[in-house]
Amino acid sequence: EPEVTQTPSHQVTQMGQEVILRCVPISNHLYFYWYRQILGQKVEFLVSFYNNEISEKSEIFDDQFSVERPDGSNFTLKIRSTKLEDSAMYFCASLSGFRADSGANVLTFGAGSRLTVL
Amino acid sequence: DQQVKQNSPSLSVQEGRISILNCDYTNSMFDYFLWYKKYPAEGPTFLISISSIKDKNEDGRFTVFLNKSAKHLSLHIVPSQPGDSAVYFCAASATNAGKSTFGDGTTLTVKP
């Protein structure tokens, strides 16, 4: 079954450093998302990406964050200057399709990249 | 403003019994509701969904009920199995391609 692949699985960085998290979405999917989950908290939406541009972003997704799809396959999340509170599990997801029984959009998530900022 | 709430952080049931996980929402613009299951060290995986025009959707052992007037949905798992032990997230979206808003999750433990 097709998978969303994320790298690295775990990254430790110093506060103020730049971090790039990488994702390879499922090849024929068109919508891509980044979510994050701070330990023990809910999964929070960061940004959605469609047709090579941001379609929606949350208030968490400030100027320190950026996304791009540089080569048509990888989908990256960059944090320019990491803060302690950026420590979280970051999930990439792509839109699998719409359920016939509900019309709901079903996201396929990657296993996540754990970011630890020291 | 927490638009999707799962008030029970954890639930423990005996194998073979019914598990009922609850979710409340505040945004009346939500039209699509989904349940995801998450195991440790994995991303959430889709379980079942329902749209606001229905009040019930069933898929095998899993049934989702929606009470739109109460802004409440629930996931029933029957019979529960030890492999169902995971964190269950309720999620809602206003459009079928828009962002999903997740609840805090409920950790289900099914005891053999």
Side-chain angles (χ1 to χ4, degrees):
Chain A
E1 189 168 325
E3 289 184 342
V4 174
T5 306
Q6 289 188 244
T7 54
S9 57
H10 188 192
Q11 181 154 355
V12 181
T13 190
Q14 294 291 322
M15 192 169 56
Q17 294 297 302
E18 176 182 284
V19 159
I20 298 176
L21 305 178
R22 292 183 168 80
C23 170
V24 180
I26 295 172
S27 60
N28 61 345
H29 288 185
L30 299 177
Y31 289 84
F32 312 109
Y33 306 80
W34 282 100
Y35 286 80
R36 78 172 185 190
Q37 185 184 24
I38 295 171
L39 186 62
Q41 299 185 24
K42 64 180 178 179
V43 176
E44 299 175 291
F45 169 78
L46 292 178
V47 66
S48 59
F49 192 84
Y50 171 72
N51 201 24
N52 286 322
E53 59 183 31
I54 291 173
S55 53
E56 190 174 4
K57 60 183 180 179
S58 71
E59 57 191 29
I60 301 169
F61 195 88
D62 61 21
D63 291 344
Q64 292 300 312
F65 290 88
S66 63
V67 288
E68 63 176 4
R69 198 159 184 240
D71 56 11
S73 61
N74 290 288
F75 178 49
T76 62
L77 174 69
K78 183 192 289 186
I79 310 174
R80 263 181 269 283
S81 177
T82 50
K83 303 189 281 277
L84 295 176
E85 54 264 38
D86 293 329
S87 295
M89 181 72 89
Y90 288 81
F91 293 105
C92 173
S94 62
L95 187 60
S96 312
F98 305 104
R99 295 284 299 181
D101 57 358
S102 70
N105 57 323
V106 175
L107 299 176
T108 299
F109 285 86
S113 292
R114 178 168 298 285
L115 175 64
T116 302
V117 182
L118 302 176
Chain B
D1 174 29
Q2 192 163 357
Q3 298 186 56
V4 178
K5 288 185 183 179
Q6 294 175 254
N7 290 318
S8 298
S10 62
L11 174 68
S12 181
V13 300
Q14 207 64 37
E15 181 178 6
R17 307 295 293 267
I18 185 171
S19 297
I20 300 177
L21 297 95
N22 293 302
C23 178
D24 296 292
Y25 63 95
T26 57
N27 188 342
S28 57
M29 300 298 290
F30 288 145
D31 269 338
Y32 303 95
F33 304 91
L34 307 95
W35 285 94
Y36 287 86
K37 181 168 75 172
K38 185 183 180 303
Y39 293 117
E42 294 183 12
T45 56
F46 171 75
L47 194 56
I48 193 169
S49 60
I50 191 168
S51 73
S52 59
I53 62 172
K54 288 189 172 181
D55 54 18
K56 177 182 174 181
N57 193 22
E58 193 172 350
D59 184 0
R61 296 186 297 114
F62 304 92
T63 303
V64 56
F65 295 93
L66 175 64
N67 182 334
K68 200 175 175 186
S69 61
K71 294 191 176 68
H72 176 84
L73 64 154
S74 60
L75 173 68
H76 292 211
I77 307 172
V78 57
S80 301
Q81 299 172 354
D84 296 330
S85 298
V87 179
Y88 288 78
F89 289 99
C90 169
S93 62
T95 65
N96 62 7
K99 67 177 184 183
S100 288
T101 300
F102 283 74
D104 289 334
T106 297
T107 300
L108 173 66
T109 303
V110 181
K111 297 179 179 176

